[in-house]
Amino acid sequence: MKGKTSVLFEPTRIQGMKLKNRLVRSATWEGMCDEDGRPTPALVDYYRELAEGGVGLIISGFAFVAAEGKPLPGALGLHRDDFAQDLRALTTAVHQAGGVLCAQLAHAGGQTRRALCGGMPLAPSAVAAVQYQPETPTAMSNADIRRSIAAFAAAARRARECGFDAVQLHAAHGYLINQFLSPHTNRRDDDYGGSLVNRARFLLDVYRAVRAAVGTAYPILVKLTGSDHLEEGLGEKEAVLVAQALDALGIDAIEVSSGTPASGELTPLRRNIHAPDQEAYNLSLALAVKAAVRCPVMVVGGIRSPDRAAEIIREGHADYLALSRPLIREPGLPLRWRDVDNAAPSDCTSCNRCFKAALKGKLECLKT
């Protein structure tokens, strides 16, 4: 451990989950599963490389909990029991390489299309989401809502049985849980719409169902939007109240992100990170959450340099730093930051060419 950045490499725990450092691989769509969502040997090798690179916690790419919730080609599925052998190959590879793996449980809601999910997309309300090929979804019935909550719980059970060390609920980036939270996409007038208490009901019901499925000692995390950055969307004040409600129920950690594909320049995948003052662009939102909860808080978004990352930890602004694109560029970045004096920042500038590669079935850096 080197000097002032050694704080990044302190061992910690989330529930009983032991982590060797404070660096987290944030969930990243890899595009490396088959058409049904079954993980491929290539994805196993990819996760093994991440674990060997020294990151403390790997959060899987978006794992859809129901076929209707598939967001993108090649996404991971946790909706079928017959994937167990392939999922165990994934978790075993990570564990053998000394890593820790969390499954991100998610549902695209209206942010998908029929060609991917096999039917008309479902959402809280019939409000079109801005996406590559927008389609107006069908408003969910109460039976659809109950079925989706049960799907999250069943996926969590599968994740635990297949060796994942934790699960994370995806409540950000304009997907189903976020769609319920946001008045921009939730126009319901029943118990799941209107007031924040009602709009948060779906997320809290999902949490309770997942907790019942995995038990009190198993870590459940959440990726929560700190703001939709949308007119009439979920804003910071309401997001903090949602974080407090989750904290009171026993959530084990909150990763703070922001934005949706409809948020213009403030999407989750901001481009062109070239200077330290462009880093950690979600930090003010994470600070607001951190001040309001007892559980650990992770911040994601534009973190590129070990000095800036360590400063965030030392000042108590967050407990963990989550990275995505820098680890696509350099899977061994955590080891370099640990072992090299005055280690240089990641040279990932968020050109986002890596996601074009994922569309072809292999997540990799294409920066020249």
Side-chain angles (χ1 to χ4, degrees), residues 179-259:
Q179 289 164 28
F180 271 98
L181 290 171
S182 176
H184 179 76
T185 46
N186 186 344
R187 314 289 174 84
R188 301 177 72 93
D189 58 6
D190 62 3
D191 288 347
Y192 287 94
S195 68
L196 179 63
V197 169
N198 284 354
R199 284 183 279 119
R201 191 181 308 278
F202 181 76
L203 169 56
L204 301 185
D205 284 354
V206 167
Y207 171 78
R208 292 185 183 99
V210 168
R211 178 60 76 196
V214 299
T216 58
Y218 189 76
I220 304 175
L221 290 61
V222 66
K223 188 168 195 170
L224 183 67
T225 185
S227 174
D228 288 339
H229 303 307
L230 287 171
E231 188 175 353
E232 298 182 352
L234 187 79
E236 178 182 324
K237 291 181 179 179
E238 287 194 331
V240 169
L241 292 173
V242 174
Q244 288 178 314
L246 287 164
D247 190 47
L249 286 177
I251 199 77
D252 294 301
I254 299 173
E255 180 185 5
V256 179
S257 187
S258 72

Side-chain angles (χ1 to χ4, degrees), residues 113 124 132 213 244 276 308:
R113 56 188 191 274
Y132 296 115
Q244 288 178 314
R308 182 71 176 112

Side-chain angles (χ1 to χ4, degrees), residues 20 51-52 55-58 91 93-101 165:
K20 59 189 173 187
E52 290 172 346
V55 71
L57 175 64
I58 299 168
T91 58
V94 169
H95 293 155
Q96 288 178 342
V100 179
L101 181 58
D165 301 285

Side-chain angles (χ1 to χ4, degrees), residues 268-287:
L269 298 176
R270 301 189 201 178
R271 295 165 56 90
N272 301 320
I273 307 297
H274 296 289
D277 63 358
Q278 296 173 309
E279 294 190 41
Y281 47 75
N282 288 317
L283 185 58
S284 65
L285 299 171
L287 277 166

Side-chain angles (χ1 to χ4, degrees), residues 260-316:
T260 80
S263 302
E265 294 182 355
L266 301 181
T267 73
L269 298 176
R270 301 189 201 178
R271 295 165 56 90
N272 301 320
I273 307 297
H274 296 289
D277 63 358
Q278 296 173 309
E279 294 190 41
Y281 47 75
N282 288 317
L283 185 58
S284 65
L285 299 171
L287 277 166
V289 171
K290 176 75 173 163
V293 301
R294 296 165 298 174
C295 68
V297 171
M298 305 173 177
V299 62
V300 67
I303 296 164
R304 297 292 180 267
S305 61
D307 288 349
R308 182 71 176 112
E311 178 185 48
I312 290 169
I313 299 298
R314 284 198 309 271
E315 294 185 357

